[in-house]
Amino acid sequence: MPADPPDDALLSAAEVAAWLDVDERWLATAIAEDELPVMGYTSDGRPVVVAGEVRAWLRRPDPHGDET
């Protein structure tokens, strides 16, 4: 995973977690609470997000407070 994927890169939750160096459960919470837009799902039901959406989400104030 590149340190800074392009805005149009489609990423799995695991790739986003590795990129941001966070626990996948933290990311799953953001997705489940509809705070992080999901672009779609893989055939086995795993969410896919766009890197640009992740960046926009992170710029919002306090996405999850002290959960990291």
Side-chain angles (χ1 to χ4, degrees):
M1 166 64 54
D4 196 21
D7 279 345
D8 62 349
L10 296 176
L11 307 172
S12 69
E15 291 169 325
V16 174
W19 170 35
L20 301 178
D21 193 25
V22 296
D23 187 278
E24 279 188 63
R25 289 175 293 177
W26 179 84
L27 189 64
T29 300
I31 291 170
E33 294 176 358
D34 290 328
E35 293 178 352
L36 182 59
V38 174
M39 181 65 150
Y41 292 87
T42 61
S43 60
D44 60 356
R46 290 180 287 160
V48 177
V49 298
V50 178
E53 292 289 345
V54 174
R55 282 191 190 90
W57 178 67
L58 291 171
R59 285 192 294 266
R60 292 188 342 208
D62 197 33
H64 271 301
D66 294 328
E67 291 183 33
T68 55

